[in-house]
Amino acid sequence: MTTQAVNGKKSDLKSTVTVAMSNYLEAGSIVAGAGGLSLWVEYLNLNDVKVGLLGALSANGFGSAIGALIGGYLVDKYGRKLIYKYDLLVYMLGVLLVALSFNFPMLLAGYIITGVAVGAAIPAAWTYISEEAPADARASRVGYGQLAWSIGPAISLLLSVALAPLGLLGSRIIFGQLFVIALITWIMQQQINESKIWEEEKAKEVKLQAKGHAAKSSVKELFTNKANLKAIILLLGIYCFWNLVAGVMGYFMPYIYQKVGGLTAAEANLLQAFLWVLTVASTYFVFIKLGDKANRKVLFGIGAFMGIAAWLVLAFGGMGFAELIIFVILWGVAAGFGAQAFYGLWAGELFHTKYRAKAQGFLFSVARVAVGLISLVVPTMLSSVGFKMSGLIMIGFLLVSALIGILMAPETRGKTLEEIQLERYGDEAVKETERNIVAPVANSRYENPVKRQ
């Protein structure tokens, strides 16, 4: 391998890590809110309805759903790099509002603004990472996004434990550190290049229009093309149902540990931090190391059933020390190579370039709307039907996700995005070739690349 190729790979990996920091900031903001939730409840005397609103309209719910729809459309139309010029500026405004809040409207506004910014960045991040990754290391590169997602909560929760003696001031400081990290990340993201695959797709569209062919509506095709519909069913099935459980856990689990299990705020945050540390380790040693080598359907299935086992222990074993530790170990390890990791991988692989980001924006938005809806009722549900029944509902969601993933998981290891695209959209690709639209730019990634931005 030449020195130029090695340097190129290092540069691509640096871009991947820089973009993956959007995941760190998203998950960090969700868990920072969760870690300090009981403190805000006490400080502002919040009732169940207001607690539900914070969860529903934040980065864990409707706020990010709106942002994902907007971001997915914009980055398909104007480029993956566009979102990184402005998005984190909005994010910084949101977390700053939360850090300085002194009443409920200000706190809620901060959560909503942060959520919109988070949602807008996520489709761009997963798309960019997938498009820039080598074919034989795509799961590994996507895994770095998942790794950043896991590190964010671990750090936020460990900070919650360390700063617990400061009370609400500690929670404000945690949101302050997210502001600082967002600023550093924003500066780094200004230096990344545009996605080569997106540039090539835009070059094809320009040639098509120059030949007098009207561009088709990629939004309409997203919901009418058979290959797209199959991918949407798979990804909504595995991610939306799994995320109903993970979303509830990400925001409400420390609250549940305290209300149902009788733990202190510091104990709850420390337990949840241990869970995320296990997820970090599992992401690296299982998904990053094995995702491009092992059978992905088997990996997915193992993670899915470990998650189900974790909730069976929690729902039916009570919340004693042993049950909590078993739950945290099972779920923490499983989450590192579970539905979210495979969603990030398959969502980048299974859609055509022209609607790859907007597809992810739609899918992420639906998942976040679902979490937003369930967040509205979680506090009331715990009070009215009890934790055991609530746990059964969570187990049901996980079973649906597991069955759909095991039955429909694709085999895409080692294939380039172009090869996967040809397999899934074969007739469309052939017709484009016959019109002599694809041929002039088919090898542009290697021979005559479009000028990088």
Side-chain angles (χ1 to χ4, degrees):
M1 184 178 292
T2 65
T3 302
Q4 184 178 4
V6 171
N7 290 337
K9 283 196 171 185
K10 288 182 178 178
S11 176
D12 288 345
L13 182 57
K14 180 181 177 181
S15 296
T16 294
V17 173
T18 301
V19 169
M21 285 302 296
S22 296
N23 292 348
Y24 172 96
L25 292 166
E26 177 188 1
S29 64
I30 293 172
V31 176
L37 181 59
S38 60
L39 299 171
W40 288 109
V41 169
E42 182 180 354
Y43 173 65
L44 298 175
N45 194 27
L46 303 180
N47 57 29
D48 283 350
V49 173
K50 289 182 177 179
V51 172
L53 276 174
L54 286 175
L57 298 176
S58 68
N60 203 39
F62 298 135
S64 60
I66 295 169
L69 286 176
I70 296 170
Y73 174 80
L74 290 177
V75 298
D76 268 348
K77 188 173 180 64
Y78 299 108
R80 314 321 192 195
K81 187 178 176 180
L82 171 75
I83 207 73
Y84 300 116
K85 292 182 180 180
Y86 310 106
D87 184 72
L88 286 183
L89 298 176
V90 179
Y91 178 93
M92 284 185 275
L93 172 62
V95 295
L96 191 62
L97 276 174
V98 175
L100 301 177
S101 288
F102 56 84
N103 58 37
F104 179 71
M106 189 175 179
L107 181 67
L108 185 62
Y111 272 47
I112 293 172
I113 292 170
T114 304
V116 170
V118 156
I122 292 304
W126 291 122
T127 297
Y128 186 92
I129 292 171
S130 294
E131 290 180 346
E132 292 294 283
D136 60 352
R138 193 175 303 113
S140 174
R141 293 295 176 87
V142 169
Y144 282 105
Q146 177 71 7
L147 193 69
W149 183 288
S150 306
I151 292 172
I155 291 176
S156 291
L157 286 163
L158 288 172
L159 284 173
S160 294
V161 174
L163 299 174
L166 298 179
L168 188 60
L169 176 60
S171 182
R172 296 182 189 276
I173 291 172
I174 292 168
F175 275 95
Q177 64 91 23
L178 288 173
F179 177 92
V180 173
I181 293 174
L183 177 60
I184 295 170
T185 303
W186 179 77
I187 293 171
M188 294 173 63
Q189 288 181 347
Q190 304 317 297
Q191 304 170 34
I192 66 172
N193 295 316
E194 183 56 87
S195 161
K196 294 181 285 290
I197 289 179
W198 180 83
E199 289 177 329
E200 292 166 11
E201 182 62 30
K202 281 300 170 183
K204 294 176 188 178
E205 290 182 10
V206 170
K207 287 181 175 290
L208 182 62
Q209 292 170 2
K211 291 175 178 290
H213 297 285
K216 295 180 181 179
S217 170
S218 58
V219 175
K220 181 181 178 181
E221 284 184 333
L222 178 59
F223 300 103
T224 56
N225 183 284
K226 290 182 180 179
N228 289 341
L229 292 176
K230 289 180 181 178
I232 287 172
I233 292 170
L234 166 66
L235 294 168
L236 276 183
I238 65 166
Y239 185 60
C240 187
F241 285 99
W242 178 88
N243 197 55
L244 284 169
V245 180
V248 167
M249 288 182 61
Y251 191 79
F252 288 107
M253 209 61 202
Y255 180 71
I256 291 171
Y257 288 149
Q258 294 169 65
K259 185 169 183 177
V260 181
L263 276 62
T264 66
E267 289 170 342
N269 288 333
L270 187 60
L271 189 64
Q272 199 70 348
F274 177 49
L275 183 152
W276 282 106
V277 168
L278 290 173
T279 301
V280 170
S282 174
T283 300
Y284 183 78
F285 289 107
V286 181
F287 194 77
I288 291 178
K289 293 295 186 181
L290 300 178
D292 293 297
K293 301 173 183 176
N295 186 299
R296 290 173 177 173
K297 183 177 289 192
V298 172
L299 280 182
F300 174 87
I302 292 172
F305 285 109
M306 285 179 67
I308 292 169
W311 271 90
L312 284 169
V313 170
L314 194 67
F316 294 98
M319 280 205 179
F321 179 77
E323 289 87 356
L324 287 174
I325 293 298
I326 293 171
F327 168 77
V328 163
I329 292 173
L330 284 172
W331 183 272
V333 173
F337 57 101
Q340 179 162 289
F342 280 100
Y343 163 80
L345 176 63
W346 290 331
E349 291 181 333
L350 301 183
F351 292 101
H352 193 288
T353 303
K354 61 186 175 183
Y355 28 61
R356 183 171 289 127
K358 66 172 65 70
Q360 293 193 51
F362 166 74
L363 293 166
F364 190 82
S365 178
V366 171
R368 281 299 190 251
V369 166
V371 171
L373 290 173
I374 199 170
S375 295
L376 286 171
V377 301
V378 165
T380 304
M381 183 171 68
L382 289 171
S383 300
S384 59
V385 303
F387 183 71
K388 184 175 289 187
M389 181 58 67
S390 301
L392 277 173
I393 294 170
M394 299 296 111
I395 291 167
F397 292 149
L398 293 174
L399 276 171
V400 173
S401 171
L403 291 174
I404 292 175
I406 291 170
L407 291 174
M408 297 183 63
E411 181 51 73
T412 50
R413 277 181 295 161
K415 299 176 183 177
T416 66
L417 291 182
E418 291 86 350
E419 289 171 338
I420 297 170
Q421 191 166 288
L422 183 61
E423 287 179 1
R424 296 181 59 78
Y425 303 88
D427 292 341
E428 178 181 328
V430 170
K431 289 177 181 178
E432 281 193 326
T433 303
E434 290 173 349
R435 289 200 302 259
N436 198 31
I437 295 166
V438 175
V441 294
N443 293 319
S444 61
R445 193 172 184 182
Y446 308 102
E447 297 173 6
N448 184 30
V450 177
K451 184 179 180 181
R452 307 294 297 278
Q453 292 184 2

